[in-house]
């Protein structure tokens, strides 16, 4: 009656406030839209009260009683007043963010609430001046139905003109503040080690639709989409942002520096400082061969040789040092090979005299029966373990001192022989290697590409 017949919105709102919480909840769900239209502030305050935990009685063991209503039950009543919906959800959702440490132990809110609040933060059309105009108490403006006028309305119209100009002057500041609140919602609503309180996919779509770059970049980074973060900075031609992104995320994804170098190489401006910093990280992680680096940077006509001069000098010095080490290793291996061949030739063509006087196992005086090995170790026959039929290689006993080393060599030889026909393993290593030539050279060095007969020889 108060709303539909006599239009006494103040009295109707006061009546709802004095009702029990459950009855007030039902009344707001039914008449809330009309109350919000004429008494937005008071109705918003009542909705906040119903959705907020209340202190428990003194004799109760619980600190707070759960709220009577959920915020999503009242979202539809603010359909014509999005700014007051923003205020309503902000007062309900902000204290319940995971990082807010709310002492009320309130139940978690539905992701819909947080996503709706985020959308309201990002909307540009919430700074309409009339939304910020203060409510007028009196029957002439709020108690009179649509279509009725009074002489007092003209005074309100002139007063609202000044309100419009003042609200318009602060609209930009208000929107900037809401963007800060939006970023805070994204960060505080998704703490490390737990799931986000909002729908991440929905939030990402909202940030991209409204052009909210800080929120988009934050969600990309939390989702591990580092390439998209870097691409966003490149699209906006933010050189400082590209370097900052690579410095912060390059340890997790070193390929970011490679993309940054390609970006600076294709730029039409002088990026000398940025290229030098990118080269430091590429050289440190050995992400690209020097030739590829020079080819990439050659596309930028603004870059001079002085930018890469020190980098090229360091690379040439390192390659020269590596070449000298390889030559020394080759000489050492050639000398050892010559010694081994000479020893094999001596064993085949010359007699070997055994003059050992002690057993290599028990260190006792050597007496018959004794066993001598070509490795210059001699044993009592009783000190040698029994060899299985067929021996270690073709039959007989083996030196117990040299056997472990020989066994390792034999296992390596068998492994190499078994890899002759394993072409899939070779191509897999070749595909996954950073330097495919080193894989081929390694296989050649182990004789895997040679026939089995040649390897044995």
């Amino acid at each position: 009656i108060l709303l539909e017949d006599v239009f006494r919105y103040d009295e109707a709102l006061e009546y709802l406030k004095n009702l029990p919480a459950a009855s007030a909840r039902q009344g707001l769900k039914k008449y809330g839209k009309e109350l919000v239209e004429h008494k937005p502030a008071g109705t918003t305050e009542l909705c906040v009260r119903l959705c907020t935990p209340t202190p428990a009685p003194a004799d109760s063991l619980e600190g707070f009683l759960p709220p009577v209503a959920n915020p999503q039950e009242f979202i539809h009543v603010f359909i014509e007043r999005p700014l007051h919906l923003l205020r309503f959800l902000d007062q309900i959702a902000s204290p319940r963010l995971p990082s807010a440490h709310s002492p009320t132990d309130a139940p978690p809110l539905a992701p819909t609430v947080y996503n709706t609040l985020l959308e309201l933060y990002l909307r540009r059309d919430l700074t309409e001046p009339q939304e910020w105009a203060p409510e007028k108490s009196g029957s002439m403006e709020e108690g009179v139905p649509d279509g009725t006028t009074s002489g007092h309305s003209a005074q309100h119209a002139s007063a609202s003109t000044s309100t419009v100009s003042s609200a318009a002057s602060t609209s930009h500041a208000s929107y900037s503040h809401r963007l800060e609140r939006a970023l805070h919602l994204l960060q505080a609503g998704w703490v490390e080690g737990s799931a986000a309180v909002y729908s991440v996919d929905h939030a990402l779509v909202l940030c991209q639709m409204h052009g909210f770059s800080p929120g988009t970049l934050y969600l990309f980074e939390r989702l591990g989409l580092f390439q998209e973060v870097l691409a966003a900075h490149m699209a906006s031609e933010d050189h400082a942002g590209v370097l900052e992104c690579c410095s912060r995320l390059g340890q997790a994804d070193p390929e970011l520096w490679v993309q940054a170098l390609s970006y600076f190489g294709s730029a039409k401006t002088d990026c000398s400082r940025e290229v030098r910093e990118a080269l430091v990280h590429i050289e440190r992680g050995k992400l690209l061969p020097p030739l590829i680096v020079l080819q990439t940077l050659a596309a930028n006509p603004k870059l001079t040789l002085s930018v890469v001069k020190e980098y090229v000098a360091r690379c040439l010095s390192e390659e020269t040092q590596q070449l000298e080490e390889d030559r020394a290793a080759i000489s050492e291996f050639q000398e050892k090979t010559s010694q081994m061949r000479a020893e094999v030739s001596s064993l085949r063509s010359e007699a070997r005299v055994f003059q050992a006087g002690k057993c290599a196992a028990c260190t006792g005086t050597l007496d018959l029966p004794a066993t001598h090995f070509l490795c210059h170790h001699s044993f009592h026959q009783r000190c040698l373990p029994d060899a299985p039929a067929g021996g270690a290689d073709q039959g007989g006993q083996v030196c117990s001192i040299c056997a472990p080393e020989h066994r390792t060599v034999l296992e390596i030889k068998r492994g190499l022989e078994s890899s002759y026909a394993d072409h899939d393993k070779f191509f897999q290593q070749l595909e996954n290697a950073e330097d495919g030539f080193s894989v081929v050279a390694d296989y050649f060095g182990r004789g895997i590409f040679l026939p089995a007969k040649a390897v044995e020889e």
Side-chain angles (χ1 to χ4, degrees):
I1 295 176
L2 291 174
L3 292 176
E4 299 176 356
D5 295 337
V6 296
F7 310 108
R8 296 180 180 178
Y9 302 106
D10 286 319
E11 297 181 16
L13 183 59
E14 191 66 27
Y15 174 76
L16 287 178
K17 290 181 179 180
N18 295 327
L19 287 177
S23 301
R25 170 191 174 189
Q26 297 299 328
L28 275 179
K29 292 173 65 176
K30 185 175 182 180
Y31 301 105
K33 183 177 180 181
E34 188 173 359
L35 284 173
V36 167
E37 183 179 353
H38 296 86
K39 300 294 297 181
T43 309
T44 303
E45 179 184 355
L46 179 58
C47 291
V48 170
R49 192 181 71 182
L50 294 177
C51 297
T52 304
T54 56
D59 56 349
S60 176
L61 298 178
E62 299 180 358
F64 289 86
L65 297 178
V68 178
N70 295 320
Q72 57 265 34
E73 297 179 350
F74 300 133
I75 290 180
H76 70 281
V77 306
F78 292 93
I79 191 65
E80 301 293 340
R81 293 277 184 168
L83 184 59
H84 287 84
L85 176 60
L86 169 62
R87 294 171 178 171
F88 164 60
L89 295 181
D90 183 75
Q91 295 183 55
I92 296 298
S94 295
R96 300 196 196 180
L97 290 174
S99 62
H101 304 292
S102 175
T104 59
D105 297 330
L109 299 176
T112 306
V113 175
Y114 292 103
N115 288 110
T116 304
L117 179 59
L118 176 63
E119 182 178 2
L120 293 170
Y121 280 146
L122 299 178
R123 284 179 55 178
R124 295 177 178 270
D125 57 347
L126 295 189
T127 55
E128 297 177 2
Q130 59 269 23
E131 291 286 356
W132 291 96
E135 295 183 19
K136 307 297 181 180
S137 60
S139 59
M140 299 306 296
E141 181 177 349
E142 297 179 349
V144 180
D146 294 340
T148 62
T149 58
S150 67
H152 203 61
S153 299
Q155 299 179 2
H156 291 303
S158 61
S160 63
T161 304
S162 60
T163 306
V164 168
S165 59
S166 62
S169 64
T170 58
S171 61
H172 179 72
S174 174
Y175 182 64
S176 300
H177 176 69
R178 284 194 280 115
L179 292 183
E180 294 176 1
R181 297 286 297 169
L183 184 58
H184 172 72
L185 172 62
L186 294 175
Q187 295 173 343
W190 192 359
V191 297
E192 294 290 343
S194 61
V197 298
Y198 48 83
S199 172
V200 178
D201 295 336
H202 191 178
L204 184 58
V205 171
L206 289 175
C207 291
Q208 292 179 326
M209 285 178 55
H210 294 275
F212 184 43
S213 299
T216 302
L217 295 178
Y218 173 77
L219 292 176
F220 276 156
E221 184 174 343
R222 289 300 306 271
L223 291 171
L225 304 176
F226 302 145
Q227 304 287 343
E228 282 72 9
V229 176
L230 182 62
H233 289 295
M234 292 179 179
S236 59
E237 298 183 356
D238 183 9
H239 293 181
V242 171
L243 290 180
E244 189 274 335
C245 174
C246 293
S247 300
R248 184 163 41 86
L249 306 176
Q251 187 174 2
D253 188 358
E255 288 298 321
L256 294 178
W257 286 110
V258 178
Q259 295 189 14
L261 184 69
S262 301
Y263 168 72
F264 293 130
S266 60
K268 303 304 180 182
T269 58
D270 186 6
C271 307
S272 301
R273 184 182 65 85
E274 292 83 357
V275 169
R276 287 191 179 94
E277 184 171 350
L279 287 177
V280 170
H281 294 274
I282 290 176
E283 181 182 7
R284 184 184 303 165
K286 300 185 181 301
L287 304 178
L288 281 178
L291 182 59
I292 301 299
V293 171
L294 296 179
Q295 291 176 347
T296 302
L297 297 179
N300 190 338
K302 299 291 184 179
L303 297 177
T304 61
L305 182 61
S306 61
V307 178
V308 297
K309 180 179 179 180
E310 296 181 359
Y311 167 74
V312 173
R314 289 194 300 269
C315 290
L316 291 177
S317 176
E318 184 179 352
E319 293 290 341
T320 302
Q321 181 180 358
Q322 184 65 37
L323 181 61
E324 294 297 332
E325 294 178 358
D326 292 342
R327 286 177 176 173
I330 290 173
S331 299
E332 181 181 357
F333 291 150
Q334 287 177 342
E335 182 179 355
K336 290 183 178 180
T337 302
S338 299
Q339 294 176 356
M340 292 180 182
R341 287 177 176 174
E343 185 177 357
V344 170
S345 176
S346 174
L347 291 175
R348 288 179 176 178
S349 59
E350 300 177 3
R352 179 64 60 92
V353 178
F354 300 99
Q355 297 179 346
K358 293 184 178 182
C359 175
C362 66
T363 67
T365 302
L366 194 64
D367 54 9
L368 298 177
T371 302
H372 304 276
F373 295 95
L374 295 178
C375 59
H376 300 288
H377 292 138
S378 301
F379 300 88
H380 292 121
Q381 186 69 35
R382 62 181 178 274
C383 294
L384 285 175
D386 295 334
D393 194 16
Q394 293 181 350
Q397 293 175 320
V398 294
C399 174
S400 58
I401 297 178
C402 300
E405 181 180 356
H406 293 167
R407 189 179 302 112
T408 303
V409 174
L410 290 176
E411 290 177 356
I412 294 176
K413 180 181 177 182
R414 294 191 187 99
L416 293 176
E417 292 175 351
S418 64
S419 61
Y420 290 155
D422 193 359
H423 304 294
D424 294 337
K425 182 180 179 180
F426 166 72
F427 285 110
Q428 183 179 3
Q429 293 182 0
L430 187 64
E431 181 179 357
N432 297 332
E434 296 181 359
D435 185 8
F437 181 78
S438 62
V439 176
V440 177
D442 180 60
Y443 270 69
F444 266 112
R446 291 186 291 171
I448 292 182
F449 291 141
L450 299 178
K453 184 177 179 181
V455 173
E456 293 176 358
E457 294 176 355

